[in-house]
């Protein structure tokens, strides 16, 4: 088969090329017509001079102008100089009777579209496309752009070889953009290609380039894997809009890292795609073929225009054979063995596993450093701007080596606290890939000696101290480094010192000071054009502002970060930004948005090949939290168990596993699986006690979790015991912490529910005063405490005071979150409950309707939270005599609640629906039957659920009055 084109996938030609009378008649004998496409007609022909069969493409008439002929001839000659096993060879270019023709290799076989008619595994598909990608990369290196990458231009020969066909025959210049309303099959002057695989810039009529080939390649790969094209549209405008919305999720079960690579190649912004075809192919190698820190190093070096002279038996380049020895004594087999022995001697059960996991990561880091250092060595000294870039890269790698050595030295003398922080140590080192990211290199100091060198040493020590949880030491070292950096007059080092200092301050709860440090560092980063460092600082600033409750400021920071992100090549940094945005969405109550952002962050982590490492554990935890908020408990449980699985890389008894188990227990508790949650939390506490002894914040966290589990099971005595245990630990370790205030508030809430408002109220007033002093008047925790005080007031029958507290809570939340947030909806519902208890049914209904309106805007129709609120509102509507409102609300809520397994709430919804239906006079027999159904479910639950008892009595009373 020749490189025939699929006409259904190609812009139609405006004319039909006749059988050529005699193109090269003295040399080529035309044998058979093999196919026709947008560029021309392909024939099988016999080359009389060389006695071989070739493919001969005769171009359409519209390419017969002098400029077109010259350009096509130049490109054909360039292709003729390209020899690659994955590219259809071009043998000759000629012209006969004013018509250009190309003579090419004849490939007998089939194109990928036909090959895929037989089901293939994703590995088979990827192998074919990797081979095709190698051909495209070779062409790009020769300055040749394909411009029409699609399945029918990827050929598989009968002997299994893969070749890319039809290079360099389309216009390189821009064409007139197509009409937005035209279907994406209409021909525009100068525009050749297949719209289904065209990049958005090509669809706008912009010139074709290698990044457009990358887009077409990924579109074809997505289609080959999933059986459908990633983007469709009835018009050019619709196609561009589809691309702007981003890569659709996978249809077929493929590895996350594979989908991540395809999604990046399909980015609407060309600068957000891979830096080259080689970089894309490296990502398609998968996580076991390359270390995450080296991703893209050589590619970025080449993209900078640096002449990397690699000795291949010809001209001699720099001797780089000794690069690996530069890590002798820093990180080598001897150091690794000493570290493992030192950990084993700690006598901790999990220490050997933690050491093994940590040293494996450091081995990969060292390998990445050696690869990057060799690439810089082979680049030589460079000239002009290239020389300056190489100097920055060398300085960056020197910093990475120094940090690796400092960490290794610390690991040679471990203690229990260091082993317990192994999960943080594994991500303490800045990625080697930053040394090939020009957004980061601007922040690399090349100043040598004196204060600059002192600053580097202090900053490295501060980073290590921060990673091991020694925050006061980190602040001291960072402050010394900052002073030295100022004396050296080096803004890059100033920014690095402030970054570490701010991070340590944040860990100590000094959030306002941390924000100041991050913002000051950001000014320095902006001044020197350090985009990657500035992005890192924006991420940290956003997270800290979120904790302070300053969400509008955090949103503005995220907008700045979003704008800068496409300029930064580090996928780990993009993952962190997406995670920060997901956390912000969750704080605003937009849990579906949070879920989507966390999913995208996991995809970015997969692109960096860290999705199966300890790096990903926290992100899986955050995704679990958003899913739990959406009442998608099974999915949440799966994500948190994935986090536990990753933490187990450090050993089954590592405290990171204990922390993850606490999160898992919280999910089980939300599912109503109290005993499982209790058992898991008890095991977690045992792990944490074994690791830390009796006093540690993580143990307090686990005790607090047990308090919540026991309270939800209505065992307030046990709950109070756990909360008091948590409080005692926090009073000893962190008497000024917000966590201590939270536990005191939870204990007070228990006391109020136990009928002890006199004990609860002063505790809550103290908590409120603490939060105001610590966090300011406008913070969500201040609002939460007002809510809790309202409960105390209501239990004392002080309705007006309860309403005043709730109104204060709602006003704060509206200032923090805006008009729509789930927390605001919850306050409206509490206000409605207060009014309902006071028999102000119309007021209760009006407030509850506002709650439903917020949940309608934020949650999907199948959300049990939304359905529960609808059922509650239907009750208020019934009591207010608004049966026309009550019935549709309860009728819609009941099936959603049943499907979610909320049988008690579904029974109440059936009862309220039946009440309303009876009052409306609509089939009263059916209304009575519906109430009886709800009553039967409630009766079955009453022996186990005390809250079902009063509902059962009410239902019996209604049936007695109406079911005669």
């Amino acid at each position: 088969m020749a490189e025939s084109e699929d006409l259904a996938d190609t812009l139609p030609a405006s004319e039909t090329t006749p059988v050529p009378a005699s193109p090269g008649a003295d040399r080529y004998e035309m044998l058979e017509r093999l196919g026709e496409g947008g560029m021309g007609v392909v024939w099988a022909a016999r080359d009389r001079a060389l006695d071989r069969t070739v493919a001969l493409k005769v171009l359409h008439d519209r390419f017969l102008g002098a400029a077109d002929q010259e350009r096509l001839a130049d490109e054909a000659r360039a292709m003729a100089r390209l020899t690659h096993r994955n590219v259809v060879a071009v043998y000759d270019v000629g012209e006969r009777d004013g018509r250009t023709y190309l003579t090419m290799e004849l490939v007998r076989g089939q194109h990928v579209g036909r090959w895929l008619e037989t089901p293939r595994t994703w590995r088979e598909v990827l192998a074919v496309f990797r081979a095709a990608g190698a051909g495209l990369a070779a062409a790009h290196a020769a300055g040749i752009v394909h411009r029409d990458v699609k399945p029918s231009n990827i050929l598989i020969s009968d002997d299994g070889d893969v070749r890319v066909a039809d290079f360099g025959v389309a216009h390189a210049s821009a064409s007139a953009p197509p009409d937005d309303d035209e279907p994406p099959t209409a021909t525009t002057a100068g525009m050749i290609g297949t719209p289904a695989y065209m990049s958005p810039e090509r669809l706008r009529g912009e010139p074709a380039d290698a990044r457009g080939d990358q887009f077409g390649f990924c579109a074809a790969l997505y289609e080959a894997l999933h059986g459908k094209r990633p983007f469709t549209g009835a018009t050019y405008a619709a196609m561009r809009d589809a691309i702007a919305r981003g890569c659709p999720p996978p249809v077929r079960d493929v590895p996350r890292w594979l989908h991540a690579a395809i999604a990046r190649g399909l980015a609407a912004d060309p600068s957000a795609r891979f830096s080259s075809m080689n970089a894309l192919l490296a990502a398609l190698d998968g996580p076991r073929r390359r270390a995450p820190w080296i991703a893209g190093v050589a590619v970025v070096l080449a993209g900078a225009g640096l002449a990397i002279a690699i000795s291949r038996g010809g001209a001699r380049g720099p001797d780089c054979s000794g690069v690996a020895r530069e890590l002798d004594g820093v990180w080598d087999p001897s150091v690794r063995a000493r570290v493992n022995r030192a950990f084993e001697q700690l006598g901790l059960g999990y220490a050997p596993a933690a050491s093994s996991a940590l040293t494996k990561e450091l081995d990969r880091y060292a390998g990445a450093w050696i690869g990057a250092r060799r690439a810089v060595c082979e680049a030589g000294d460079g000239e002009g701007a290239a020389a300056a870039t190489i100097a920055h890269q060398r300085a960056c790698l020197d910093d990475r080596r120094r940090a690796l050595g400092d960490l290794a030295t610390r690991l040679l003398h471990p203690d229990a606290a260091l082993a317990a922080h192994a999960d943080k140590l594994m991500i303490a080192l800045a990625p080697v890939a930053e040394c090939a990211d020009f957004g980061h290199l601007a922040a690399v100091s090349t100043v040598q000696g004196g204060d600059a060198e002192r600053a580097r040493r202090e900053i490295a020590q501060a980073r290590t101290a921060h990673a091991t949880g020694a925050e006061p030491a980190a602040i001291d070292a960072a402050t010394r480094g900052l002073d030295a950096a100022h004396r050296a007059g080096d803004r890059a080092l100033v920014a690095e010192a402030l970054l570490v200092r701010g991070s340590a301050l944040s860990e100590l709860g000094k959030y306002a000071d941390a924000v100041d440090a991050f913002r000051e560092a950001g000014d320095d980063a902006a001044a020197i054009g350090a985009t990657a460092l500035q992005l890192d600082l924006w991420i940290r600033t956003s997270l800290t502002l979120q904790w302070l409750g300053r969400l509008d400021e955090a949103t503005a920071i995220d907008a700045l970060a979003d704008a800068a992100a496409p300029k930064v090549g580090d996928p780990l940094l993009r993952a962190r930004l997406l995670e920060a945005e997901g956390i912000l969405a969750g704080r605003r109550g937009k849990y579906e948005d949070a879920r989507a952002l966390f999913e995208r962050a996991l995809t970015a982590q997969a692109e960096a090949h860290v999705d199966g490492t300890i790096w990903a554990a926290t992100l899986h935890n955050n995704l679990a939290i958003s899913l739990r908020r959406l009442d998608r408990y099974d999915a949440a449980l799966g994500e948190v168990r994935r986090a536990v699985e990753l933490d187990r890389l450090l050993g089954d008894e590592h405290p990171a596993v204990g922390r993850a188990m606490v999160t898992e227990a919280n999910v089980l508790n939300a599912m109503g699986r109290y005993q499982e949650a209790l058992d898991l939390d008890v095991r977690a506490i045992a792990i944490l006690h074994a690791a830390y002894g009796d006093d540690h914040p993580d143990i307090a966290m686990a005790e607090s979790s047990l308090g919540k589990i026991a309270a939800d099971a209505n065992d307030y005595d046990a709950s109070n015991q756990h909360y008091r245990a948590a409080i005692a630990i926090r009073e000893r370790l962190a008497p000024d912490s917000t966590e201590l205030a939270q536990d005191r508030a939870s204990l007070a809430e228990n006391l109020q529910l136990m009928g002890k408002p006199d004990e609860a109220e002063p505790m809550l007033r103290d908590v409120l005063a603490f939060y105001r002093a610590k966090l300011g008047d406008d913070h969500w925790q201040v609002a939460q405490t007002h809510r809790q005080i309202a409960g105390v007031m209501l239990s004392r029958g002080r309705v007006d005071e309860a309403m005043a507290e709730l109104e204060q809570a709602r006003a704060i939340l509206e200032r923090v979150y805006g008009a729509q947030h789930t927390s605001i909806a919850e306050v409206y519902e509490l206000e409605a409950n207060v009014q309902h208890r006071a028999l102000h049914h119309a007021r209760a209904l009006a407030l509850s309707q506002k709650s439903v309106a917020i949940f309608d805007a934020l949650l999907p129709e199948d959300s049990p939270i939304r359905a529960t609120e609808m059922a509650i509102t239907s009750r208020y509507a019934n009591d207010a005599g608004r049966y026309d409102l009550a019935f549709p609300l309860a009728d819609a809520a009941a099936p959603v609640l049943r499907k979610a397994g909320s049988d008690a709430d579904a029974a109440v919804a059936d009862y309220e629906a039946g009440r309303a239906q009876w009052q409306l006079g609509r089939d009263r027999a059916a209304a009575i039957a519906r109430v009886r159904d709800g009553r039967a479910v409630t009766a079955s639950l009453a022996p186990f659920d005390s809250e079902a008892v009063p509902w059962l009595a009410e239902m019996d009373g209604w049936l007695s009055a109406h079911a005669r």
Side-chain angles (χ1 to χ4, degrees), residues 15 36 63 329 331 367 673 696 839:
E15 71 283 324
E36 178 177 355
F63 300 108
W331 186 258
R673 294 159 63 174
H696 193 275
L839 303 181

Side-chain angles (χ1 to χ4, degrees), residues 185 457 654 668 740 748:
T185 53
R457 285 198 303 270
H654 193 276
L668 289 167
L740 173 58

Side-chain angles (χ1 to χ4, degrees), residues 109-129 156-158 160 221-227 252-254 258:
Q110 58 186 330
H111 63 63
V112 160
R114 301 264 166 75
W115 178 76
L116 287 167
E117 292 173 1
T118 299
R120 310 288 179 179
T121 68
W122 68 264
R123 288 183 176 85
E124 290 176 301
V125 172
L126 184 57
V128 166
F129 272 79
I156 304 175
S157 68
D158 290 338
L221 177 53
Y222 182 98
E223 180 182 9
L225 288 169
H226 303 301
R252 184 180 181 182
D253 187 15
V254 299
L258 175 55

Side-chain angles (χ1 to χ4, degrees), residues 342-400:
F343 270 73
E344 289 170 4
Q345 291 168 2
L346 287 174
L348 299 171
Y350 62 83
S355 177
S356 175
L358 181 55
T359 54
K360 284 178 182 176
E361 292 298 314
L362 295 180
D363 283 346
R364 291 206 295 169
Y365 190 91
W369 188 92
I370 291 168
R373 183 69 183 87
R374 181 176 290 115
V376 172
C377 171
E378 291 168 346
D381 294 329
E383 296 179 1
T389 300
I390 291 172
H392 276 85
Q393 289 165 339
R394 288 173 176 158
C396 179
L397 290 170
D398 286 344
D399 283 344
R400 298 295 179 270

Side-chain angles (χ1 to χ4, degrees), residues 354-717:
S355 177
S356 175
L358 181 55
T359 54
K360 284 178 182 176
E361 292 298 314
L362 295 180
D363 283 346
R364 291 206 295 169
Y365 190 91
W369 188 92
I370 291 168
R373 183 69 183 87
R374 181 176 290 115
V376 172
C377 171
E378 291 168 346
D381 294 329
E383 296 179 1
T389 300
I390 291 172
H392 276 85
Q393 289 165 339
R394 288 173 176 158
C396 179
L397 290 170
D398 286 344
D399 283 344
R400 298 295 179 270
R401 179 177 56 188
R402 180 185 298 105
L404 177 59
D406 288 344
L407 181 56
T409 299
R410 180 70 182 88
L411 294 177
L412 288 170
H413 306 283
D415 52 25
L418 185 144
H421 280 80
D423 52 331
K424 291 185 178 180
L425 284 169
M426 294 170 79
I427 58 176
L429 294 171
V432 171
E434 286 185 350
C435 296
D437 187 329
F438 293 99
H440 172 78
L441 286 179
V444 175
S445 169
T446 55
V447 178
Q448 299 299 318
D451 286 321
E453 195 60 33
R454 278 190 287 275
R456 290 191 185 94
R457 285 198 303 270
E458 295 290 357
I459 292 168
Q461 290 177 16
R463 285 186 178 278
T464 302
H466 174 53
T468 57
E471 307 303 348
I475 291 172
D476 289 344
T479 302
R480 291 193 299 270
L482 180 61
D483 291 342
H486 277 304
R487 289 195 302 270
D490 192 315
R491 300 192 76 166
L493 289 173
V494 167
E496 289 283 350
L498 286 167
L499 184 152
V500 183
R501 188 172 191 277
S503 300
L505 287 166
S506 181
E507 284 295 317
L508 291 176
K510 298 180 179 180
Y511 303 114
D513 292 340
V515 168
D516 290 343
F518 292 146
R519 283 183 162 156
E520 185 180 347
D523 292 341
D524 288 292
I528 59 177
T531 307
L533 177 59
Q534 194 169 29
L535 179 58
D536 185 3
L537 288 160
W538 276 330
I539 293 168
R540 295 169 191 264
T541 305
S542 170
L543 289 169
T544 311
L545 286 169
Q546 289 179 46
W547 180 246
L548 286 168
R550 291 152 61 178
L551 300 191
D552 288 342
E553 291 179 68
T555 301
I557 291 290
D558 284 352
L560 293 172
D562 270 336
K567 303 173 186 176
V568 177
D570 183 3
L572 283 177
L573 208 51
R574 292 202 310 275
R576 286 179 50 214
L577 173 59
L578 290 165
E579 185 174 18
E581 292 177 339
I583 294 170
L584 178 58
R587 291 188 188 279
R588 288 195 177 280
K590 298 180 179 179
Y591 302 120
E592 183 58 37
D593 290 349
R595 180 207 58 77
L597 286 161
F598 291 143
E599 288 278 10
R600 288 175 59 197
L602 282 170
T603 298
Q605 283 193 342
E607 185 181 317
H609 301 287
V610 297
D611 51 324
T613 72
I614 195 68
W615 293 64
T618 300
L619 188 48
H620 281 287
N621 260 326
N622 280 329
L623 177 56
I625 291 169
S626 66
L627 290 166
R628 180 164 62 87
R629 293 285 192 175
L630 291 167
D631 285 351
R632 293 172 57 181
Y633 296 120
D634 289 338
L637 192 59
E639 291 298 331
V640 75
R641 284 178 171 167
R642 175 60 173 155
V644 173
E645 175 189 349
L646 294 175
D647 282 322
R648 287 189 190 279
L649 294 171
L650 301 169
D652 290 345
E653 302 301 313
H654 193 276
V657 176
R659 291 191 294 270
M661 288 169 65
V662 172
T663 305
E664 182 180 351
N666 292 337
V667 175
L668 289 167
N669 182 50
M671 298 172 76
R673 294 159 63 174
Y674 303 121
Q675 191 59 49
E676 291 177 72
L678 181 66
D679 293 344
L680 190 63
D681 218 333
V682 168
R683 293 206 304 275
I685 284 183
I687 290 173
L688 295 170
H689 270 297
Y692 297 133
D694 292 335
D695 271 0
H696 193 275
D698 286 351
I699 297 173
M701 173 196 67
E703 289 284 4
S704 181
S705 173
L706 278 171
K708 177 71 166 62
I709 294 168
D712 288 345
N714 297 319
D715 187 350
Y716 294 114
D717 288 333

Side-chain angles (χ1 to χ4, degrees), residues 39-179:
M39 297 307 304
V41 178
V42 180
W43 294 81
R46 188 171 70 86
D47 182 342
R48 293 189 179 100
L50 297 177
D51 192 21
R52 63 181 177 182
T53 303
V54 296
L56 193 146
K57 171 169 282 191
V58 183
L59 300 182
H60 286 313
D61 287 345
R62 67 175 179 274
F63 300 108
L64 299 185
D68 282 339
Q69 300 278 31
E70 183 178 356
R71 182 184 302 112
L72 295 170
D74 287 343
E75 293 192 13
R77 281 189 286 270
M79 284 298 299
R81 291 193 297 270
L82 173 62
T83 301
H84 194 278
R85 63 171 297 176
N86 299 121
V87 174
V88 171
V90 172
Y91 299 139
D92 190 17
V93 59
E95 183 266 329
R96 184 79 174 189
D97 299 330
R99 186 182 300 277
T100 299
Y101 63 87
L102 305 177
T103 308
M104 296 163 290
E105 174 186 11
L106 178 65
V107 181
R108 297 290 185 183
Q110 58 186 330
H111 63 63
V112 160
R114 301 264 166 75
W115 178 76
L116 287 167
E117 292 173 1
T118 299
R120 310 288 179 179
T121 68
W122 68 264
R123 288 183 176 85
E124 290 176 301
V125 172
L126 184 57
V128 166
F129 272 79
R130 286 205 80 265
L136 284 171
H140 293 167
I144 301 166
V145 178
H146 191 289
R147 306 185 183 98
D148 193 19
V149 181
K150 59 184 178 182
S152 60
N153 279 336
I154 301 174
L155 311 181
I156 304 175
S157 68
D158 290 338
D159 57 5
D161 285 341
V162 178
R163 291 177 176 83
V164 182
D166 205 9
F167 274 91
V169 292
H171 286 279
S173 59
S175 60
D179 190 324

